[in-house]
Amino acid sequence: MNPITNSPSIQDTRPWRPGALVSGTLALHAGAAAAIVAQPAALPWAAGGVIASHLLLTAAGLWPRSTWLGPNLLRLPPSAQGCVALSFDDGPNPEVTPRVLDLLDQHRMQATFFCIGARAARHPALVREIARRGHAVENHSLDHRHHFSLFGPARQMHDIAAAQRVLTELTGAAPRFFRAPAGLRNPFLEPVLCRLGLHLASWTRRGFDTAAAGDAGRVAARLLTGLAERDILLMHDGDPGHDRAGQPLVLAALPRVLRAIESAGLRCVTLRDTVRDAMLRATR
């Protein structure tokens, strides 16, 4: 199956517009090539400029919340007043995800689950249950390779489109957002996301709840310090760290986070609901 033409969201393809950093890098490469042709002695200076531009691109890709390589959702749109978004990565996990769902139900909160395609295929009933309870299922790559940021455009396309197919078939709704493994990426990602109709989403703050022997209080504090409307909070239901008692950190910290959100008079919503609402308002 061709990963491009058979992608379920290809009808929503959006145009790719390179940002200033990418455009500047392309211009620098062209200028360096022209300089070398015109004056071969300029080779060291031209090479130095090209190397510096690549280092800058690499730094941008290693900063998950960077917007230098293209649009990156770091907070909910301004229309999402009184709302925050809870997001969970790396699932589904049959040992943890159902308990996360129960906690969210108890507090009548909705969340966004960035699921790994291969894990979703192994636990299809759990993915359907996430969607059935009113939560959003989004794309977190097919296999969550830690060297994802080193993939070229063809491999990125194959990986993301394959996960897109799996998640769409299981939930009946095509994911609208993509979160890169560990948040790391390269300049090839944004054009691929544009072709698949996906939008990159990162976070406002994260709990670092994958630590081998973490502390739930610290996880909650990282998420709640400075909590404000429109925040996007990141936790993990897949591959979670554990506290000293052996309990998954996400399960130990989540009740505190949910109570704090309620006490602040905020409500949890999905990324797709708030962004869709913002788009509807813009067309009125």
Side-chain angles (χ1 to χ4, degrees):
M1 181 179 289
N2 186 296
I4 300 177
T5 59
N6 289 283
S7 169
S9 62
I10 195 66
Q11 66 271 16
D12 298 320
T13 296
R14 56 191 177 87
W16 175 56
R17 297 182 178 87
L21 178 59
V22 174
S23 297
T25 300
L26 294 173
L28 178 61
H29 279 65
I36 293 171
V37 170
Q39 181 56 263
L43 175 60
W45 294 100
V50 169
I51 292 172
S53 70
H54 279 254
L55 291 175
L56 190 57
L57 287 173
T58 300
L62 293 175
W63 179 20
R65 300 184 72 251
S66 165
T67 58
W68 293 350
L69 298 181
N72 189 3
L73 186 67
L74 308 177
R75 300 189 71 202
L76 298 179
S79 59
Q81 297 178 0
C83 299
V84 295
L86 268 176
S87 62
F88 298 90
D89 281 12
D90 297 357
N93 180 335
E95 303 299 323
V96 176
T97 306
R99 298 164 69 184
V100 169
L101 293 174
D102 289 343
L103 286 169
L104 292 170
D105 280 354
Q106 291 171 19
H107 292 265
R108 297 182 180 179
M109 300 286 192
Q110 290 183 303
T112 300
F113 288 79
F114 282 90
C115 293
I116 298 172
R119 290 185 179 179
R122 290 197 296 269
H123 306 288
L126 185 49
V127 177
R128 295 189 184 101
E129 182 65 10
I130 293 172
R132 188 191 70 79
R133 297 203 197 187
H135 307 292
V137 173
E138 304 294 353
N139 193 324
H140 197 36
S141 81
L142 181 64
D143 295 303
H144 200 276
R145 301 294 185 188
H146 292 295
H147 60 293
F148 176 86
S149 61
L150 301 179
F151 288 2
R155 188 170 179 186
Q156 285 189 6
M157 175 64 75
H158 179 274
D159 183 284
I160 299 171
Q164 191 79 347
R165 287 195 300 272
V166 170
L167 298 173
T168 301
E169 290 168 2
L170 292 177
T171 66
R176 307 304 303 140
F177 293 94
F178 175 79
R179 181 171 284 165
L184 307 181
R185 61 200 192 280
N186 62 36
F188 300 125
L189 178 60
E190 177 59 16
V192 169
L193 296 183
C194 286
R195 294 185 67 182
L196 292 173
L198 287 163
H199 300 266
L200 183 67
S202 294
W203 53 82
T204 309
R205 59 179 60 83
R206 61 191 301 181
F208 290 97
D209 55 339
T210 57
D215 180 270
R218 292 184 179 180
V219 170
R222 293 187 189 106
L223 293 166
L224 298 173
T225 300
L227 179 69
E229 63 180 14
R230 299 174 53 207
D231 282 354
I232 300 173
L233 309 180
L234 167 60
M235 304 181 78
H236 292 78
D237 61 322
D239 294 328
H242 294 76
D243 61 19
R244 291 175 178 81
Q247 178 167 344
L249 285 170
V250 62
L251 298 178
L254 184 56
R256 309 183 197 190
V257 172
L258 292 172
R259 288 194 297 269
I261 291 172
E262 288 177 330
S263 297
L266 300 170
R267 63 188 183 94
C268 287
V269 295
T270 67
L271 298 186
R272 66 172 60 191
D273 282 345
T274 55
V275 172
R276 180 169 56 227
D277 289 347
M279 294 175 67
L280 288 174
R281 287 187 176 91
T283 60
R284 290 174 182 170

